[in-house]
Amino acid sequence: MTGTSDKLFAEIGSAEEAKGNLLSKTKGDKFIWGIVILLAMISLLVVYSATGSLAYKMYKGNTEVYLFKQLSFIILGLLVIYFLHRVNYTVYSRVAMLLFAISIPLLAYTLFFGTKINDGSRWIRLPVINMTIQTSDLAKLALFMYLSRQLSRKQEVIKDFKKGFLPLLAPIALTCMLIMPANLSNALLTGAISLLLLFIGRVSVKHILLVVGLGLIPIAIIISMASYKHNHPSKEPKRSGSGVFVRLETWISRVESFMYAKDTEVPYQVQQAKMAIANGGVVFGLGPGNSRQRNYLPQAYNDFIYSIIIEEYGLLGGAFIIFIYLLFLFRCIRLFRRCPYAFGAFLALALSFTLVIQAVANMAVNVNIVPVTGVTLPLVSMGGSSFLFTCAAIGIILSVARNLENTGSEKELQEVPVVPAAVPVAS
């Protein structure tokens, strides 16, 4: 009997020791870790609520299918975060060029041969696991890693147009041009975040304004075409065949619906999202699992999940989600200011900007501030390749934070300049 109890205590002790070793190896900003866990828990609750009726219809009464699917993505995502945060972030500087070189052919392949959903070719299907991935997510991650590397290496010539600006502009333009035909909103967000990163990286403002002016030209053309279409409905062109610009009509229709909401029929998903927000009220909403519009709102578990959050938890719940993302951005900016190496500083800031701006864009669509796009709410929308790439970005950010813990104390690093001009970076 004594031997059995000793064996039991030994097993308990070994399990606690293994748990202690895992926790000791988990480093980085504790606030960011907490935000990730909190958003994952919120995701489980809201995705389960938003997909309950759909799962009941699709799987003959089994309402937990999507819940377990989301749980599996969350577990896989946390593993991705853990393993990437254990890697020294200087390694990502070495793989940035390779990853970017791989992402460009993948974007081109997706554009012409990818899986088409809703007239947009954004996905490729992996043959073995039969899973679709959105290659633009990989391309954005690769682009921001590459830009962070180049900005850290070109600080001495960053004001020069040929030596500093053009080598940074070329990859941005190439990536956005390949994303744009299938996903205009994603391309615009990628370009805007890239220019913001260049501004923080001390690129000349006049060079950035030149690019902004050129980028406004196609946007102005789309707005003009939407206005012309609204004022001349009898002369509306017929939908033509296929090709990389087949979604031009979709862009024009969405801009028209947004510009002339009083005169044209509001898109169905926007109507349902507004109804969900109205149901939620100001304070507590309808309560967890009591959403009404989940049965009518398309993509309630994905693009319009923020509307479901407000419906079930009220405007107070919606404001809490905004606060969580702003806290995440604040912690990442703090990393940027503390990081003694330019590459790590730019990397943490670029990846945090892309996640927070994507979240803001998703929420803006849900409350009808901007036209409808296909942008998800990071770490909250139902899992997929986008969820895993979001976890990869967070893992890299935590890698920077972990390196700061190993480099020195916070007090020692407070005097480090925001953007070191001549700090070496791993090649």
Side-chain angles (χ1 to χ4, degrees), residues 141-360:
L141 181 62
L143 174 65
F144 294 134
M145 291 171 61
Y146 179 77
L147 286 180
S148 300
R149 171 188 169 91
Q150 293 300 96
L151 279 171
S152 66
R153 296 169 66 91
K154 293 183 177 293
Q155 285 297 305
E156 295 181 0
V157 294
I158 199 65
K159 300 293 184 181
D160 187 270
F161 184 77
K162 291 184 178 179
K163 296 180 180 180
F165 182 64
L166 284 182
L168 295 171
L169 179 62
I172 298 173
L174 181 59
T175 303
C176 291
M177 287 177 63
L178 290 173
I179 295 175
M180 183 183 68
N183 197 339
L184 177 63
S185 57
N186 207 338
L188 291 176
L189 285 176
T190 302
I193 296 168
S194 300
L195 292 179
L196 181 60
L197 182 62
L198 295 189
F199 174 76
I200 296 171
R202 303 192 306 120
V203 171
S204 176
V205 175
K206 63 180 181 181
H207 296 158
I208 296 175
L209 291 178
L210 175 63
V211 177
V212 172
L214 294 175
L216 289 176
I217 294 176
I219 296 177
I221 292 174
I222 292 175
I223 294 175
S224 300
M225 294 179 70
S227 178
Y228 180 83
K229 177 184 176 183
H230 177 75
N231 294 323
H232 302 83
S234 60
K235 298 181 180 180
E236 179 181 336
K238 294 182 179 180
R239 188 180 182 90
S240 57
S242 58
V244 296
F245 294 104
V246 70
R247 286 180 58 82
L248 178 61
E249 185 180 342
T250 302
W251 304 338
I252 295 172
S253 298
R254 288 180 176 179
V255 173
E256 180 192 9
S257 299
F258 182 76
M259 291 174 58
Y260 303 99
K262 294 182 180 179
D263 303 328
T264 59
E265 183 180 353
V266 178
Y268 177 76
Q269 60 266 46
V270 175
Q271 294 179 13
Q272 299 301 321
K274 287 182 175 181
M275 292 172 65
I277 293 172
N279 291 338
V282 177
V283 187
F284 298 113
L286 300 179
N290 294 324
S291 170
R292 301 169 187 164
Q293 301 310 119
R294 63 186 175 188
N295 299 320
Y296 309 101
L297 178 59
Q299 299 293 320
Y301 50 84
N302 203 358
D303 297 353
F304 287 91
I305 198 167
Y306 188 64
S307 301
I308 303 300
I309 292 175
I310 296 179
E311 184 180 19
E312 295 190 347
Y313 300 94
L315 289 180
L316 191 63
F320 179 72
I321 296 295
I322 296 175
F323 170 76
I324 290 296
Y325 284 111
L326 291 180
L327 178 61
F328 173 77
L329 180 62
F330 170 76
R331 299 300 298 186
C332 292
I333 291 176
R334 191 166 174 268
L335 289 180
F336 169 75
R337 296 184 63 86
R338 291 173 53 205
C339 189
Y341 294 99
F343 173 70
F346 288 130
L347 188 61
L349 199 64
L351 297 181
S352 63
F353 271 144
T354 186
L355 296 182
V356 174
I357 292 178
Q358 178 181 331
V360 171

